[in-house]
Amino acid sequence: MSGFMNAFAPERRAAPVEPADATTNAELIGWTGREHGGDGPMPARDALTISAVYACVNLLAHSVATTPLETYRRTGGRREPFPRPQWIDQPNEDTLRIRFVATVMTSLLLDGNAYILVTRSGGEVVALDVIPAAAVEPMYVLMPNGKRSLVYQLSAGDDQGRVQVLGALGRADVLHIVGLPLAGQIRGVSPLQAAKRTFELTIGAESYGAEFFSNGAVPGAIISVPGAMTPQGLKAARQTWRTIHGGKGNRHGLAILTEDAKFQTVSVAPDEAQFLQTRAFQIPDVARIYGVPPHLIADASGSTSWGSGLAVQSSGFVQFSVRAWAERIEEALTTLLGPQAHAVGAFVRFNLDSLTRGALTERLEAYRTGIQTGVYTRNEVRALEDLPPDTSGYGDFAMVPTNLALLTPDGPVPLASPTAPTDDDQDDDGEPTQGGDEPPEADQNDKGEVGD
């Protein structure tokens, strides 16, 4: 596998065309697509030079990668821990879980696809490696038996930029995770292809701004003098003006012009200044593509639309952005658990609750409600906060309100305590009977004698 990784050459940037011949920003700055044809997405490395793209990819990738990943199984409708395989914590000998999941997420966010090479020994998974998405081409081929089969063709580029086919892998050897799917398509939609114009506009604005500020030739002011001046005269006039009005103590002084000279300040043209607004707009535009709230990538211009409080903002981000990506990876990794694990309903699950943990006061309020309604026991709450169990011996007992009632068609019926006396144990006056379970005594007359 390492040899294949070393053989894969990164995508190259073509030489820019002449400005007069350029028809797009991509041609102007040298982006001509995946195969230098102009129709493919821009290279991933170039897309990451856009600060908003880098921020979105970094945020989503590490939000999922740093979330605890566990294995469970369903028993009687409840979820309980299940022994986790070694490849979850260390997918291969050189990669740990966080880096592996972050690499999968980066591939999904930039290419729309993630390809994982599955290495098995004796039918058991022993290693997982992420294959560069640009080196994989999924396709259906016709087998000798007349049936079609899905294979993944691997290619690599040499030093001269020529693409060479290295071979093909079968469906059992590659775990293919798809981002946004399209009907009839094997590959998922690449964000860099779908939003190519947006990314090109962003880079074009950044390139224009860098060129404008670093190499701009717009002067701060102009002094126009009627008639022609020799080069020596121009140099002398420029030096005289700087000597009189430049330097500390001379700024904003009174200027006297003779010879019918005129002074005029120069401001930036509106069309040249608008690129700042264009660049500001590109931040929420890129954030919209990746489903990231702009305030999470340092753009607070629209933060009020996400409610007040970090808990509301984080909950919305997890619910609408992170969860969809996490469940794709969960579904794919669950298929690798093996037939024995599948037989008992085992599955892989990210603990997304860790991403929505609010402040201490918010968590305590939620725990209080959970304990009072019997959802949590005290020891379960203490475990969520990494605290030792309750030593009183009652920490594993659920607590429920004692003032609950059953709502029946005949009206509310209070829930009686198991030790409370029932209606059969009470006299007409409401007092409990004595010895309700004892046999009735013999009749006595007024003198206390037992009758015949």
Side-chain angles (χ1 to χ4, degrees):
M1 183 64 187
S2 60
F4 166 71
M5 292 298 184
N6 294 332
F8 178 70
E11 295 170 288
R12 301 173 181 269
R13 174 183 288 188
V17 301
E18 292 296 328
D21 300 329
T23 58
T24 65
N25 288 331
E27 294 179 353
L28 185 62
I29 56 181
W31 288 331
T32 55
R34 185 176 181 180
E35 297 179 353
H36 311 298
D39 295 329
M42 69 176 63
R45 292 182 181 273
D46 291 330
L48 288 175
T49 61
I50 305 174
S51 62
V53 173
Y54 182 93
C56 289
V57 172
N58 180 68
L59 177 64
L60 283 168
H62 288 96
S63 294
V64 176
T66 56
T67 302
L69 185 61
E70 305 290 346
T71 53
Y72 302 95
R73 71 171 182 174
R74 293 286 181 186
T75 303
R78 297 188 60 185
R79 184 180 68 184
E80 63 179 28
F82 184 80
R84 53 193 293 141
Q86 174 64 27
W87 51 261
I88 285 186
D89 295 317
Q90 187 168 10
N92 58 68
E93 60 181 4
D94 301 320
T95 308
L96 297 179
R97 176 181 60 85
I98 293 179
R99 180 180 177 182
F100 173 79
V101 177
T103 305
V104 172
M105 280 295 300
T106 302
S107 181
L108 284 170
L109 294 169
L110 294 177
D111 186 82
N113 301 268
Y115 303 95
I116 302 174
L117 177 65
V118 182
T119 304
R120 292 181 171 88
S121 177
E124 298 292 331
V125 176
V126 296
L128 301 175
D129 295 274
V130 182
I131 310 174
V136 183
E137 186 63 39
M139 62 182 66
Y140 283 104
V141 297
L142 188 63
M143 306 301 291
N145 58 6
K147 297 182 179 180
R148 70 172 189 170
S149 177
L150 178 63
V151 299
Y152 296 88
Q153 179 178 284
L154 304 181
S155 303
D158 56 18
D159 295 337
Q160 286 72 37
R162 294 171 299 186
V163 178
Q164 298 181 351
V165 177
L166 302 180
L169 298 173
R171 187 196 302 263
D173 300 319
V174 177
L175 186 62
H176 183 191
I177 305 177
V178 178
L180 182 64
L182 284 180
Q185 299 293 324
I186 307 176
R187 294 175 57 92
V189 177
S190 168
L192 301 187
Q193 170 67 19
K196 180 180 179 182
R197 299 305 180 191
T198 297
F199 296 133
E200 288 178 348
L201 178 60
T202 303
I203 288 294
E206 291 181 352
S207 300
Y208 179 83
E211 180 71 17
F212 179 80
F213 284 111
S214 62
N215 300 319
V218 180
I222 297 175
I223 297 178
S224 58
V225 179
M229 294 183 66
T230 63
Q232 294 78 9
L234 288 173
K235 182 177 181 180
R238 184 183 301 109
Q239 185 61 39
T240 301
W241 182 271
R242 290 179 176 176
T243 301
I244 297 176
H245 299 285
K248 185 177 181 181
N250 295 328
R251 298 176 181 176
H252 308 294
L254 179 63
I256 300 177
L257 304 178
T258 61
E259 305 287 338
D260 200 21
K262 297 180 180 179
F263 180 84
Q264 180 182 0
T265 59
V266 178
S267 59
V268 179
D271 58 338
E272 295 174 340
Q274 284 179 355
F275 81 92
L276 294 176
Q277 300 176 5
T278 301
R279 288 201 61 198
F281 173 76
Q282 296 310 308
I283 297 177
D285 205 22
V286 172
R288 184 185 304 114
I289 296 170
Y290 285 106
V292 174
H295 70 274
L296 291 182
I297 55 172
D299 179 20
S301 59
S303 60
T304 55
S305 62
W306 275 78
S308 59
L310 294 177
V312 176
Q313 300 172 15
S314 299
S315 177
F317 172 62
V318 173
Q319 179 179 0
F320 298 111
S321 300
V322 175
R323 181 177 59 84
W325 294 112
E327 291 192 4
R328 285 183 173 92
I329 299 176
E330 291 171 354
E331 182 183 51
L333 296 183
T334 297
T335 63
L336 302 178
L337 291 179
Q340 295 181 349
H342 293 160
V344 297
F347 58 93
V348 178
R349 178 64 55 86
F350 284 102
N351 183 13
L352 296 180
D353 292 340
S354 62
L355 296 177
T356 57
R357 289 170 61 91
L360 179 61
T361 55
E362 297 172 345
R363 299 202 307 272
L364 292 180
E365 179 63 23
Y367 294 151
R368 182 183 68 82
T369 304
I371 290 176
Q372 290 181 350
T373 55
V375 176
Y376 293 128
T377 65
R378 282 178 291 175
N379 277 346
E380 288 174 338
V381 169
R382 295 179 68 85
L384 291 174
E385 291 294 322
D386 295 325
L387 297 175
D390 184 3
T391 58
S392 66
Y394 297 101
D396 291 323
F397 287 90
M399 302 175 64
V400 295
T402 59
N403 60 345
L404 294 179
L406 294 176
L407 186 60
T408 67
D410 298 330
V413 176
L415 293 177
S417 171
T419 58
T422 62
D423 294 339
D424 296 337
D425 298 329
Q426 297 180 353
D427 293 330
D428 294 339
D429 58 0
E431 295 294 330
T433 59
Q434 300 294 330
D437 295 333
E438 298 294 330
E441 298 180 357
D443 295 338
Q444 298 179 346
N445 55 24
D446 294 339
K447 295 181 179 180
E449 299 176 351
V450 178
D452 294 336

